[in-house]
């Protein structure tokens, strides 16, 4: 007997397999079965494309493989899974087919409708955050109000669509967080791509007594200057170390480079701007070239607080008179009734507090206008009556009302978004010159510069005492000296960069510029095209527009114009913080709600939904 080894068997097997077709050839020979309309009598339709149709059961919707497109296999499915349906007439299966098609359309419509409901829910949540309202308002007010309106204006079908809106407290909070995260990420991307940026920083306490640090950023995007809310971070204590560590942690975590920072604006707090150990000194350890700007609004307020003892006594007495009536509800109502009976222009006084220091001019002006009503209202036994009947007291009161009103006008100019340091200096320089003019007029007994003061003198035909003129003259000189102390040195430094405010005027002081920058400045001076497009009110936009033609001098100008000139944005942020975080919402996570309240960004809800991959079904 012949013995066959294993290797011989393998060889013979290989030789036997060689003439056979390969697996790829078998796949090519594999036929694709087509659907036959007669299969509907069995209970099957088809699904997929025409080149590779797959049988689908009209009863359960189960989709089989193309290989199962045979009568025997289709019968097997019906016999195994739906034996009670065996032998049903053709009309029965046609109805099942129509029901199957309807269910497919319903699934598609449900998805589209639910996607719209989710989009609408995001839009409403954004509105809630932008208005600073509680998150519960969506479910307690907005949704019922929408249902009431839709139920009245449309039919019940539309009302069912409205019920798909999800506006529960948790849903609103979650979607506000989603939108805030999207806005923050977009802002960080822009700041990281910007050539430079500047910061505006301040800290205050919320309703819980917790210190909150608010930071705004100004950056360049699409060849334009933009400013937006950067972050709000809680801090335990307002020390320089903690403020810097909190800020540095956020900047570093977001991948922002300190070397691109060209300015930091704060108020005069020692923790922020002290010489030895402060936030600015710690930032300069990382970037030694970061300039610091003391808030112009804060400096102007410090200047206006300077008063002699005589004028301070008049101010304090006036405030006490106002608060005696205004701070008591009964007194305030009775005084209002008196003003109505006397036909007065105003019906109430304005309350004064130290926090609302900008209101001093309006408070004193209102008291001057209603001084006769106040005198009549106060009892003869009241000690305040003697002040209101003292001519010297009223003269000093009217002067304070006028000068505080003028200071408030200057302060209001310094507020607001945008603006540049050169326009601020021009306004302050003009005010300082007006102080000297007013001082000269007062000494010459020309009182037209102060309206209330002048009207009182004319109406009562009063001869102003020399001591009052001396007091007013000294106060105006003190204001001028204080303005010099806070602003003069800075204005002299920026005077060397006056070419930034108008490059089409002759300027001798261009020290600090490189030779290349001076050459470009000369070329720009002679460029008639850019001269025609120059707009003094949009200074930084102009310098960004000449970036391509004159890059060196443009960079120098933009770095000087990009820093903030005041901490006004932070003050607006703290006002929003007080409105959002109340006693009833003391546990609120402030950052996300505050971001949507203060941001200037346009939110793309579609992108927000895409980024967060939200499932398109209502959730409560």
């Amino acid at each position: 007997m012949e013995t066959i080894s294993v290797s011989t068997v393998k060889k013979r097997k290989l030789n036997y397999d060689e003439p056979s077709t390969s697996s790829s050839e078998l796949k090519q020979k594999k036929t694709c079965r087509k659907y036959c309309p007669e299969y509907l009598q069995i209970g099957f339709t088809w699904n997929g494309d025409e080149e590779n149709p797959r049988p689908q059961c009209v009863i359960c919707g189960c989709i089989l493989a193309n290989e199962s497109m045979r009568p025997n296999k289709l019968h097997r499915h019906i016999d195994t899974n739906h034996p009670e349906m065996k032998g049903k007439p053709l009309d029965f299966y046609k109805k099942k087919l129509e029901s199957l098609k309807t269910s497919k359309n319903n699934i598609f419509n449900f998805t589209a409708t639910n996607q719209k409901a989710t989009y609408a829910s995001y839009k409403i949540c954004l509105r809630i955050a932008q208005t600073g309202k509680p998150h519960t308002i969506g479910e307690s007010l907005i949704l019922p109000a929408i249902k009431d309106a839709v139920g009245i204006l449309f039919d019940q079908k539309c009302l069912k669509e409205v019920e798909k809106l999800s506006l529960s407290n948790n849903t609103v909070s979650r979607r506000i967080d989603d939108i805030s995260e999207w806005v923050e990420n977009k802002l960080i991307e822009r700041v990281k791509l910007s050539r430079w940026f500047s910061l505006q920083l301040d800290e205050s306490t919320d309703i819980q007594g917790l210190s909150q640090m608010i930071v705004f950023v100004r950056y360049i995007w699409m060849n334009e200057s933009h400013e937006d809310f950067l972050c709000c971070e809680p801090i335990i204590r307002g020390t320089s170390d903690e403020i810097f560590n909190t800020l540095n942690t956020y900047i570093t975590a977001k991948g922002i480079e300190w070397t691109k920072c060209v300015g930091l604006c704060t108020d005069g707090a020692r923790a922020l701007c002290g010489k030895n150990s402060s936030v600015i000194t710690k930032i300069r350890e990382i970037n030694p070239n970061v300039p610091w700007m003391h808030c112009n609004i804060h400096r102007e307020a410090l200047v206006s607080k300077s008063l002699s003892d005589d004028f301070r006594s008049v101010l304090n007495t006036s405030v006490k008179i106002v608060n005696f009536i205004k701070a008591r509800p009964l007194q305030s109502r009775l005084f209002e009734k008196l003003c109505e009976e006397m036909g007065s222009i105003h019906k109430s006084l304005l309350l004064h507090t130290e926090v609302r220091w900008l209101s001093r001019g309006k408070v004193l002006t209102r008291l001057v206008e209603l001084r006769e009503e106040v005198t009549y209202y106060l009892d003869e036994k009241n000690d305040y009556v003697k002040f209101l009947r003292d001519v010297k007291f009223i003269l000093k009161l009217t002067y304070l009302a006028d000068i505080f009103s003028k200071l408030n006008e200057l302060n209001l100019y310094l507020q607001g978004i945008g603006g540049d340091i050169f326009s601020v200096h021009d306004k302050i320089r003009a005010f300082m010159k007006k102080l000297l003019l007013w001082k000269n007029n007062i000494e010459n007994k020309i009182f037209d510069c102060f309206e209330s003061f002048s009207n009182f003198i004319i109406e009562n035909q009063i001869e102003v005492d020399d001591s009052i003129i001396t007091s007013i003259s000294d106060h105006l000189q003190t204001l001028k000296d204080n303005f010099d102390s806070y602003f003069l040195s800075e204005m002299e430094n920026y005077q060397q960069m006056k070419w930034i405010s108008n490059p089409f005027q002759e300027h001798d002081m261009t020290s600090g510029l490189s030779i290349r920058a001076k050459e470009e400045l000369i070329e720009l001076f002679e460029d008639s095209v850019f001269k025609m497009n120059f707009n003094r009110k949009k200074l930084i936009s102009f310098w960004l527009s000449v970036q391509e033609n004159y890059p060196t001098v443009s960079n120098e100008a933009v770095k000087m114009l990009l820093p903030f000139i005041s901490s006004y944005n932070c003050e607006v942020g703290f006002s929003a913080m007080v409105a959002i975080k109340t006693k009833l919402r003391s546990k609120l996570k402030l950052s996300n709600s505050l971001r949507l309240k203060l941001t200037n960004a346009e939110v793309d809800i579609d992108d927000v939904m895409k980024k967060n991959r939200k499932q398109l079904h209502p959730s409560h």
Side-chain angles (χ1 to χ4, degrees):
M1 180 182 295
E2 182 183 1
T3 60
I4 302 175
S5 64
V6 176
S7 60
T8 305
V9 173
K10 290 182 179 180
K11 288 179 181 180
R12 290 182 179 181
K13 187 174 181 179
L14 290 173
N15 293 334
Y16 177 77
D17 291 338
E18 281 177 2
S20 64
T21 57
S22 64
S23 59
S24 60
E25 291 175 347
L26 287 173
K27 290 182 181 179
Q28 293 176 358
K29 291 181 179 181
K30 179 181 175 180
T31 59
C32 180
R33 300 185 178 275
K34 301 296 182 180
Y35 175 78
C36 179
E38 296 177 356
Y39 290 163
L40 185 59
Q41 296 179 353
I42 306 175
F44 276 84
T45 183
W46 67 279
N47 189 293
D49 52 16
E50 295 181 358
E51 296 181 358
N52 186 27
R54 300 173 64 185
Q56 182 179 17
C57 177
V58 297
I59 300 172
C60 64
C62 181
I63 300 176
L64 306 180
N66 179 264
E67 290 82 357
S68 298
M69 194 79 79
R70 299 177 183 181
N72 60 335
K73 291 189 176 183
L74 301 180
H75 279 295
R76 182 188 302 172
H77 174 83
I78 298 295
D79 295 340
T80 303
N81 298 285
H82 314 290
E84 70 279 3
M85 301 295 179
K86 187 176 180 181
K88 293 287 184 179
L90 180 62
D91 292 339
F92 173 80
Y93 291 118
K94 286 183 178 180
K95 291 180 180 179
K96 286 291 184 181
L97 178 60
E98 292 296 328
S99 177
L100 179 64
K101 291 180 179 180
T102 303
S103 64
K104 289 181 180 179
N105 293 332
N106 287 340
I107 292 173
F108 176 78
N109 292 334
F110 172 78
T111 302
T113 303
N114 199 41
Q115 185 175 9
K116 292 181 179 179
T118 306
Y119 185 93
S121 178
Y122 268 99
K123 290 288 288 185
I124 294 173
C125 293
L126 177 60
R127 296 276 186 185
I128 293 173
Q130 289 175 338
T131 55
K133 299 299 181 181
H135 299 170
T136 54
I137 198 174
E139 194 172 29
S140 63
L141 177 61
I142 296 178
L143 187 58
I146 295 176
K147 289 181 179 179
D148 292 341
V150 172
I152 295 172
L153 298 174
F154 305 99
D155 53 15
Q156 292 296 321
K157 182 180 179 181
C158 296
L159 188 59
K160 291 181 180 179
E161 298 296 326
V162 173
E163 292 176 350
K164 296 177 182 179
L165 284 173
S166 179
L167 293 174
S168 66
N169 182 29
N170 292 337
T171 301
V172 173
S173 300
R174 185 173 63 251
R175 287 177 178 167
I176 287 177
D177 293 343
D178 295 340
I179 299 173
S180 177
E181 182 182 0
W182 182 89
V183 171
E184 183 182 20
N185 291 337
K186 288 294 182 182
L187 175 63
I188 296 300
E189 289 178 5
R190 293 183 176 186
V191 174
K192 290 166 68 174
L193 293 175
S194 176
R195 284 171 290 174
W196 307 289
F197 68 90
S198 63
L199 299 177
Q200 179 185 143
L201 170 68
D202 204 353
E203 62 92 16
S204 184
T205 55
D206 58 20
I207 192 67
Q208 286 183 296
L210 178 65
S211 295
Q212 299 283 352
M213 179 187 68
I214 291 182
V215 184
F216 277 78
V217 63
R218 182 179 287 173
Y219 59 95
I220 300 171
W221 173 254
M222 301 294 291
N223 213 33
E224 286 291 337
S225 172
H226 302 269
E227 55 188 62
D228 210 336
F229 174 85
L230 182 62
C231 68
C232 175
E233 296 292 328
I235 51 180
I236 299 176
R237 297 177 300 171
T239 62
S240 60
D241 290 335
E242 188 169 2
I243 294 174
F244 170 75
N245 291 334
T246 304
L247 177 62
N248 186 51
T249 300
Y250 182 88
I251 295 293
T252 306
K254 299 301 180 180
I256 302 174
E257 300 177 11
W258 275 114
T259 53
K260 292 183 178 181
C261 183
V262 295
L264 179 68
C265 181
T266 68
D267 59 17
R270 182 177 298 179
L272 298 175
C273 60
K275 293 182 179 180
N276 298 323
S277 178
S278 64
V279 174
I280 185 63
T281 56
K282 296 180 186 301
I283 293 176
R284 283 174 176 169
E285 292 177 359
I286 304 174
N287 183 2
N289 299 321
V290 176
W292 170 71
M293 173 67 70
H294 188 180
C295 172
N296 287 279
I297 298 175
H298 185 255
R299 281 186 284 175
E300 193 271 345
L302 294 175
V303 170
S304 63
K305 285 186 176 181
S306 177
L307 287 173
S308 63
D309 293 339
D310 191 17
F311 281 120
R312 189 172 299 279
S313 176
V314 173
L315 175 61
N316 293 337
T317 303
S318 302
V319 171
K320 289 178 182 179
I321 294 173
V322 172
N323 291 346
F324 176 79
I325 299 175
K326 191 65 179 176
R328 295 170 174 82
L330 177 59
Q331 301 281 7
S332 183
R333 291 195 299 269
L334 293 175
F335 182 74
E336 181 179 352
K337 187 67 176 178
L338 175 65
C339 292
E340 291 178 358
E341 293 176 354
M342 296 181 67
S344 304
I345 301 176
H346 308 290
K347 296 181 181 180
S348 63
L349 298 170
L350 300 178
L351 187 65
H352 174 269
T353 60
E354 282 297 326
V355 176
R356 297 171 59 192
W357 52 268
L358 276 177
S359 66
R360 285 179 300 183
K362 295 181 179 180
V363 170
L364 297 181
T365 301
R366 181 66 60 86
L367 179 59
V368 170
E369 293 172 347
L370 295 177
R371 65 183 182 278
E372 294 182 2
E373 289 82 352
V374 173
T375 304
Y376 183 81
Y377 177 79
L378 294 176
D379 190 89
E380 290 290 340
K381 298 179 182 179
N382 196 301
D383 295 336
Y384 296 134
V385 175
K386 63 180 181 181
F387 293 105
L388 295 175
R389 291 177 176 172
D390 185 0
V391 175
K392 291 185 178 181
F393 179 87
I394 298 299
L395 285 172
K396 295 175 183 178
L397 175 61
T398 53
Y399 163 73
L400 288 178
D402 288 334
I403 192 63
F404 282 145
S405 297
K406 294 180 182 295
L407 288 167
N408 289 349
E409 291 177 3
L410 174 62
N411 196 286
L412 291 174
Y413 178 85
L414 301 179
Q415 297 180 20
I417 299 174
D420 59 83
I421 189 63
F422 297 100
S423 60
V424 169
H425 285 173
D426 291 343
K427 195 72 174 181
I428 293 174
R429 192 181 293 107
F431 192 85
M432 293 166 64
K433 291 181 179 180
K434 286 192 290 185
L435 286 173
L436 297 177
L437 173 65
W438 298 335
K439 179 178 180 294
N440 184 58
N441 287 347
I442 288 294
E443 291 173 351
N444 294 323
K445 295 187 178 182
I446 302 174
F447 308 122
D448 296 341
C449 49
F450 299 113
E451 184 178 358
S452 299
F453 184 76
S454 177
N455 291 338
F456 181 76
I457 293 173
I458 295 173
E459 290 173 2
N460 295 274
Q461 297 181 355
I462 298 171
E463 183 69 26
V464 182
D465 190 82
D466 292 339
S467 61
I468 296 178
I469 293 178
T470 302
S471 299
I472 296 175
S473 177
D474 292 342
H475 180 246
L476 294 174
Q477 184 62 48
T478 302
L479 287 176
K480 172 62 170 59
D481 295 340
N482 289 340
F483 271 106
D484 289 341
S485 176
Y486 280 103
F487 291 97
L488 186 59
S489 61
E490 180 183 271
M491 288 191 293
E492 290 176 351
N493 293 333
Y494 276 91
Q495 195 67 22
Q496 300 178 359
M497 294 168 283
K498 196 66 176 178
W499 55 269
I500 297 177
S501 61
N502 191 346
F504 301 104
Q505 289 182 352
E506 293 286 351
H507 296 287
D508 297 331
M509 302 181 67
T510 56
S511 60
L513 288 179
S514 63
I515 298 299
R516 179 57 182 168
K518 291 181 180 180
E519 292 174 351
E520 291 182 357
L521 185 60
I522 294 173
E523 293 177 5
L524 178 61
F525 179 82
E526 301 296 338
D527 196 323
S528 59
V529 176
F530 283 115
K531 188 174 184 178
M532 294 176 60
N533 297 329
F534 178 71
N535 187 347
R536 177 63 180 81
K537 295 182 179 180
K538 298 180 180 179
L539 200 55
I540 191 169
S541 299
F542 168 78
W543 283 109
L544 287 171
S545 66
V546 303
Q547 173 70 36
E548 183 177 354
N549 300 86
Y550 309 102
T552 306
V553 71
S554 173
N555 290 341
E556 294 293 333
V558 171
K559 285 192 290 186
M560 296 303 302
L561 294 171
L562 197 61
F564 289 95
I565 59 175
S566 71
S567 58
Y568 174 76
N569 290 344
C570 289
E571 299 301 330
V572 173
F574 290 132
S575 298
M577 178 187 71
V578 172
I580 293 173
K581 194 169 183 179
T582 61
K583 290 183 179 180
L584 299 178
R585 306 175 70 193
S586 59
K587 301 298 182 181
L588 174 70
K589 184 181 178 182
L590 187 61
S591 179
N592 292 335
S593 297
L594 193 61
R595 181 181 301 280
L596 298 185
K597 173 73 173 177
L598 300 175
T599 185
N600 299 319
E602 295 183 2
V603 180
D604 186 353
I605 299 297
D606 290 324
D607 195 32
V608 175
M609 295 169 60
K610 182 180 178 181
K611 295 291 184 182
N612 291 278
R613 300 178 182 178
K614 293 296 178 185
Q615 295 181 353
L616 299 180
H617 62 82
S619 60
H620 300 279

